[in-house]
């Protein structure tokens, strides 16, 4: 069966469940046959709802039972979701097989697992560069001694997941007992619940749902017991905190863990810590040509170089730029580069479909405490390449200790960067794309916020100049 046929079948059956026919069967069940049908319908409903984000899946299934248009929309959404998920397609084939046993426990209905999970998403076909980082991750994960934990951290859109998935595929032969993968939703308002993730991991490792403890601590202990004698690779993508990761780390010496996070996770004990930088100009050029088309980019190499420069080495920005060039072939590379050069439109241009540089920055910004959000907005008030770290105190109107703590918070989530100045002091640096986002956020605030901050900073600079003059000419 094709993906479209599989989706049509599962949608039809899920609608039966949504209309509560499955629940009626369960109420009347006198024999295991009717109960089995009810269980399967219920599992189908939960499976299809879980393939779509948030509460959208359940709501759309409910609506599909009443509206042919909603039914068609549901089929399209599922086909698109499964188009990038070969493992999900195979899971659906198994799900629709009449020979697949189903285990019921509480509100969860899941098929029995073979005990050897293969959960890695496909590697990126146009993966480019990152050779040194891949070598570090693979060598660390295969290092003798066991319990290898590797962290890849960096700002949103820098390509952390692509690097870790690429490394995981290279590591598959070294971990024959399976590969576990989960998106921990660390950039979202509600990160993934550790207990739920542990439950899914245990089911994937072959533990019957009825034998899984209800509490998180019990699930952690059982996960470590089940993984103790297996060679399993665990990929924890988009981690929110050290606590979230700690409960999902096996205690044995035969497994390895690859973690990605937008945060530094400074107190997490790791064997290899990789800070992912932006792409250098040569690698960025290669990536743009691979996605946008070599002939397409080469027709105006000067404009192509401008596109690379304006994307600032951010892989997400380069991928969106390349996709735009490939999607709209009638548009010249030069005209696209001119649109990208417009500071007021750059983040609008770097958006296509569900991918958006602005959305990545916004998720990180919204998770910040109010003082850090204010600091981030004010750092673009003076259009300079960088600022001395001490300037944050007068900009915010707070004492130096509070300003330093605020800066550390921004550095930990990679919204700003820091470099050492010529005189040894620390200087704050904003990426060009991040600077544009900072200006957008500042424009949403009352004008006097930035004006007052600049006046305070100018006052501090004048005071420093007076003090220096007094030292030079007492």
């Amino acid at each position: 069966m094709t993906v479209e046929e599989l989706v049509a079948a599962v949608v039809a059956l899920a609608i039966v469940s949504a209309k509560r026919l499955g629940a009626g069967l369960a109420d009347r069940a006198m024999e295991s046959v009717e109960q089995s049908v009810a269980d399967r319908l219920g599992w189908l409903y939960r499976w299809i709802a879980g393939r779509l984000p948030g509460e959208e899946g359940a709501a759309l299934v409910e609506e599909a039972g009443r509206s042919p248009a909603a039914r068609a929309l549901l089929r399209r959404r599922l086909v698109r979701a499964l188009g990038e998920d070969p493992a999900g397609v195979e899971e659906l084939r198994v799900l629709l097989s009449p020979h697949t046993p189903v285990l019921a426990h509480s509100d969860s209905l899941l098929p029995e697992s073979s005990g050897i999970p293969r959960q890695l998403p496909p590697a990126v076909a146009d993966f480019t560069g990152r050779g040194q980082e891949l070598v570090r991750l693979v060598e660390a994960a295969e290092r003798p001694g066991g319990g290898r934990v590797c962290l890849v951290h960096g700002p949103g859109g820098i390509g952390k997941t692509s690097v870790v998935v690429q490394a995981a595929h290279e590591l598959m032969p070294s971990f024959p007992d399976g590969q576990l993968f989960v998106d921990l939703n660390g950039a979202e308002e509600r990160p993934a619940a550790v207990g739920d993730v542990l439950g899914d991991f245990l089911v994937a490792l072959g533990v019957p749902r009825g034998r899984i403890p209800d509490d998180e601590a019990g699930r952690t202990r059982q996960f470590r017991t089940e993984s103790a004698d297996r060679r399993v690779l665990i990929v924890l993508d988009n981690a929110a905190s050290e606590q979230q990761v700690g409960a999902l780390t096996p205690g044995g010496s035969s497994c390895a863990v690859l973690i990605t996070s937008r945060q530094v996770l400074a107190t997490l004990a790791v064997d290899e810590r990789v800070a992912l930088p932006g792409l250098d100009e040569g690698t960025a050029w290669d990536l743009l040509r691979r996605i946008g088309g070599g002939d397409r980019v080469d027709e105006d190499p000067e404009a192509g170089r401008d596109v690379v420069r304006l994307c600032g080495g951010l892989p997400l920005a380069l991928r969106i730029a390349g996709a735009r060039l490939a999607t709209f072939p009638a548009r010249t590379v030069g005209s696209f580069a001119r649109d990208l050069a417009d500071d007021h439109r750059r983040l609008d241009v770097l958006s296509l479909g569900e991918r958006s540089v602005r959305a990545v920055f916004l998720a990180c910004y919204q998770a910040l405490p109010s003082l850090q959000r204010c600091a981030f907005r004010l750092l673009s008030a003076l259009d300079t390449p960088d600022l001395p770290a001490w300037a944050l105190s007068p900009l915010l109107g707070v004492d130096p200790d509070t300003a330093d703590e605020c800066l550390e918070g921004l550095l930990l989530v990679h919204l700003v960067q820091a470099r050492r100045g010529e005189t040894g002091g620390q200087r704050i640096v904003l990426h060009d794309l991040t600077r544009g986002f900072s200006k957008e956020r500042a424009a949403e605030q009352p004008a006097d916020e930035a004006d007052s901050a600049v006046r305070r900073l100018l006052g501090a600079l004048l005071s420093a100049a007076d003090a220096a003059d007094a030292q030079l000419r007492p």
Side-chain angles (χ1 to χ4, degrees):
M1 297 176 72
T2 65
V3 174
E4 289 77 8
E5 291 169 335
L6 287 168
V7 167
V10 77
V11 167
L13 290 170
I15 290 170
V16 172
S17 178
K19 289 181 176 179
R20 298 298 183 264
L21 295 181
L25 281 173
D27 292 339
R28 298 192 310 272
M30 299 297 292
E31 302 291 339
S32 60
V33 173
E34 286 195 354
Q35 184 62 58
S36 175
V37 173
D39 287 348
R40 186 173 297 278
L41 288 172
W43 195 88
L44 281 165
Y45 176 83
R46 288 165 175 78
W47 185 91
I48 196 172
R51 306 305 292 188
L52 300 176
E55 299 179 356
E56 176 187 357
L60 195 51
V61 173
E62 296 283 354
E63 181 63 25
R66 299 186 292 268
S67 164
R71 202 171 308 147
L73 176 60
L74 178 60
R75 287 197 296 266
R76 288 197 302 272
R77 292 278 179 86
L78 276 175
V79 168
R80 184 171 62 185
L82 292 172
E84 300 178 355
D85 185 8
V89 176
E90 290 307 311
E91 183 180 324
L92 184 53
R93 292 186 195 278
V94 173
L95 168 67
L96 292 174
S97 170
H99 306 294
T100 302
V102 177
L103 298 176
H105 174 70
S106 185
D107 293 329
S108 300
L109 297 154
L110 297 170
E112 290 181 350
S113 168
S114 66
I116 303 179
R118 307 291 185 192
Q119 296 183 349
L120 292 181
V124 178
D126 49 24
F127 186 84
T128 305
R130 306 299 195 191
Q132 293 182 355
E133 290 84 358
L134 282 176
V135 169
R136 288 176 60 186
L137 290 173
V138 171
E139 288 183 350
E142 292 180 333
R143 191 175 298 151
R148 285 84 63 189
V149 178
C150 306
L151 169 67
V152 176
H153 62 92
I158 204 68
K160 301 179 293 296
T161 301
S162 297
V163 170
V164 163
V165 169
Q166 188 77 15
H169 277 275
E170 294 187 19
L171 287 164
M172 283 179 65
S174 300
F175 296 92
D177 294 325
Q179 302 84 41
L180 297 168
F181 179 94
V182 63
D183 182 354
L184 295 174
N185 296 327
E188 304 298 326
E189 185 177 351
R190 293 183 179 178
V194 171
D196 293 342
V197 175
L198 286 167
D200 292 341
F201 278 2
L202 288 168
V203 169
L205 291 171
V207 179
R209 180 68 62 165
R211 286 180 45 217
I212 297 176
D214 292 330
D215 62 299
E216 181 182 312
R219 292 184 175 192
T220 299
R221 288 192 296 269
Q222 186 167 9
F223 172 59
R224 289 174 177 166
T225 299
E226 293 292 335
S227 60
D229 298 323
R230 308 192 203 197
R231 301 191 67 183
V232 177
L233 179 65
I234 300 141
V235 180
L236 305 177
D237 189 34
N238 200 10
S241 66
E242 291 91 337
Q243 292 77 16
Q244 187 188 45
V245 169
L248 299 171
T249 303
S253 60
S254 57
C255 298
V257 184
L258 304 180
I259 306 164
T260 73
S261 180
R262 295 185 186 182
Q263 302 197 44
V264 176
L265 303 183
T267 62
L268 182 68
V270 299
D271 299 279
E272 192 71 27
R273 188 182 294 271
V274 178
L276 212 58
L279 297 177
D280 61 69
E281 185 177 346
T283 306
W285 173 257
D286 291 341
L287 180 59
L288 182 67
R289 291 182 76 255
R290 292 187 69 174
I291 299 173
D295 295 340
R296 181 94 167 87
V297 176
D298 291 344
E299 69 184 23
D300 190 346
E302 185 176 349
R305 298 289 180 190
D306 287 340
V307 172
V308 166
R309 175 179 55 80
L310 291 166
C311 287
L314 191 70
L316 176 60
L318 289 160
R319 288 188 174 279
I320 294 173
R324 278 191 167 275
L325 292 175
T327 305
F328 306 107
R331 190 178 185 188
T332 67
V333 181
S335 67
F336 177 73
R338 286 191 292 274
D339 287 345
L340 203 57
D342 186 341
D343 291 341
H344 300 290
R345 294 194 56 208
R346 188 171 303 153
L347 293 179
D348 292 326
V349 176
L350 292 176
S351 176
L352 184 64
E354 296 179 353
R355 286 190 158 189
S356 167
V357 171
R358 179 187 285 111
V360 169
F361 291 158
L362 183 60
C364 189
Y365 171 80
Q366 289 178 331
L368 295 174
S370 58
L371 186 64
Q372 291 180 23
R373 289 200 301 268
C374 181
F376 176 72
R377 294 192 300 267
L378 294 177
L379 285 173
S380 63
L382 293 175
D383 208 0
T384 58
D386 56 22
L387 279 172
W390 64 262
L392 193 57
S393 174
L395 276 174
L396 287 170
V398 298
D399 62 85
D401 289 342
T402 301
D404 287 345
E405 184 179 348
C406 184
L407 176 57
E408 286 182 359
L410 293 174
L411 290 169
L412 287 174
V413 297
H414 296 282
L415 265 182
V416 303
Q417 301 167 348
R419 66 174 180 83
R420 185 174 297 176
E422 295 179 358
T423 59
Q426 189 174 211
R427 300 191 70 84
I428 308 171
V429 183
L430 281 177
H431 186 283
D432 287 344
L433 295 177
T434 314
R435 181 184 302 279
F437 179 73
S438 172
K439 290 180 178 179
E440 286 187 355
R441 302 283 74 78
E444 297 172 352
Q445 304 300 315
D448 61 351
E449 178 185 80
D451 292 343
S452 299
V454 171
R455 281 196 294 270
R456 288 193 298 268
L457 178 57
L458 290 177
L461 290 169
L462 288 172
S463 296
D466 287 342
D469 184 61
Q471 289 291 326
L472 291 172
R473 296 186 300 177

